[in-house]
Amino acid sequence: MKNVVLNNGIEMPILGFGVYQIQDHDECKRCVLDAIDVGYRAIDTAASYQNEEAVGDAIQESGIEREDLFVTSKLWIEDVGFEATQKAVETSLNKLQTDYLDLYLIHQPFGDVHGSWRAMEELYKDGKLKAIGVSNFHPDRVMDLIVFNDVVPAVNQIETHPFYQRHDDQQFLKENGIQHESWAPFAEGKNNTFSNELLVSIGEKYGKSSAQVVLRWLIQRKVVVIPKTVKKNRMKENFNVFDFELSDEDMESIRSLDTGESQFFSHRDPEIIKWFASRLEEHE
Ligand code: NAP
C-alpha cells in the first residue's frame, strides 16, 4: 500500500475504505472484515454514520494489530464547541474500542468550530488523536482556522471526483501543507460514473474498469481516496489500482468532465446551513 506523509510526519494510506450509508451493524461489521481481508488498512467512519461500534467490533474480530490500521472518525455538528468535542471524542473512542484515533476531522464547517479545534489540539497533544483535520471546508474557512489557532489541519476531506475535480482547492491545500482527501470518489454513481464513455474508453486501454480509472486518476493526483462498497468483489476491484499508470494525456482528458460544481450541495449555500441548524434544533 502506498502511503502519504501528513504535515506532522504521520503516514496515511492513500487508499482506504469508507463506510458511509452502511448503517446496519452486522452488515457494516461484515464489510469492514471483508475490506480488511482484501487488504484495506484505512477505515473512514464518522459519528453521524452511526456505525462506529460495528467498525470497532470488526477491528477487534479481525485480529489485525491496532498500529497496522489507520482509523478516521469525525465530529458531528451537534457536538461542536470545546467541551462537547472532548466528550464526542471519548464517545467515538469507546465505540471504536480504541485508545486513539489516527485521524479526527471536523465533519462540517458550521457552528463553533474554533472551540472544537482547541479541544482537538489538546487531544492531539495528549496523543489521543494522532492527526487532526477538517472536512467540507472551503479555502477561506481553512485559512480562518489556520491563522487563529496553533495546529494546521493535516487533512481536508472534500467532495472530489471527475465531475467536481477541485484543482484550485488542491493547489491551496498543497501550498498550506494540508493533505487533500476525496469523499465520494465515484460521485456515488451520479452522472453514470461507472458507464461514462470517456472513463470506460480510457479503462479499456489498460484493461481496467471506469471505477479503477477514477481511483487511479485521484491517486496519481496524490489525493487520498476512500471508496465505499458493500460488495467484496468491488472492494477487490477498487483495491486493484496499483499495477497500472494513466498517461499524462489520459490524466489531462479527464479534466474535460469537470463541471466545477458540487453534485450534492454547496457548503456555502445559506439555505443549506439553515437546514443543518434546523435539524439540530429538532434534536434539542
Ligand atoms: P462513493 O464511494 O463515491 O460511491 C459509493 C457507491 O458506488 C455505492 O453505491 C457503491 O455501491 C458504488 N460502487 C463502489 N464501487 C463500485 C464499483 N467498483 N463498481 C460499481 N459501483 C461501485 O460514495 P460515498 O460512500 O459517499 O463516498 C466514499 C466515502 O467518503 C464514504 O463512505 C465516507 O467514508 C466518505 N464521505 C464523507 C463525506 C463527508 O462529508 N466528509 C461525505 C460523503 C462520503 P455498492 O455499495 O452497492 O457496491
Side-chain angles (χ1 to χ4, degrees), residues 15 23 27 51 53 62 65 79 87 91 100 125 147 155 161 172 174 196 226 233 238 259 265 268 279:
L15 171 66
Q23 244 168 288
E27 171 82 333
N51 56 19
E53 286 104 333
S62 73
E65 295 294 331
D79 294 318
K87 283 191 200 126
T91 303
Y100 69 92
K125 285 168 190 164
V147 294
V155 170
H161 46 69
F172 167 81
K174 194 175 165 201
N196 177 277
I226 43 168
N233 63 323
N238 297 345
T259 68
F265 59 82
R268 283 179 165 156
R279 298 223 12 197

Side-chain angles (χ1 to χ4, degrees), residues 7 134 137-139 142-143 146 152-158 160 166-182 223:
N7 60 12
V134 294
F137 278 51
H138 282 277
V142 175
M143 187 51 80
I146 292 175
V152 174
V155 170
N156 190 13
Q157 186 184 109
I158 51 177
T160 312
R166 317 296 293 260
H167 292 283
D168 290 349
D169 290 74
Q170 186 171 16
Q171 184 57 31
F172 167 81
L173 293 172
K174 194 175 165 201
E175 282 165 12
N176 289 282
I178 301 168
Q179 177 63 47
H180 182 171
E181 180 175 22
S182 148
V223 176

Side-chain angles (χ1 to χ4, degrees), residues 17-22 43-46 49 74 76 105-108 134-136 157-161 182-189 194 209-212 215 226-231 233-235 237-238 264-265 267:
F17 182 68
V19 296
Y20 179 42
Q21 290 169 330
I22 318 179
I43 312 292
D44 183 89
T45 183
Y49 301 170
K74 312 186 193 83
W76 193 234
L105 306 176
I106 299 180
H107 205 146
Q108 304 288 351
V134 294
S135 179
N136 299 310
Q157 186 184 109
I158 51 177
E159 178 189 345
T160 312
H161 46 69
S182 148
W183 65 251
F186 307 133
E188 292 183 9
F194 303 108
S209 66
S210 171
Q212 289 170 317
L215 296 175
I226 43 168
K228 169 263 174 186
T229 174
V230 295
K231 301 182 177 69
N233 63 323
R234 289 181 176 171
M235 291 176 199
E237 176 185 338
N238 297 345
F264 297 86
F265 59 82
H267 287 82

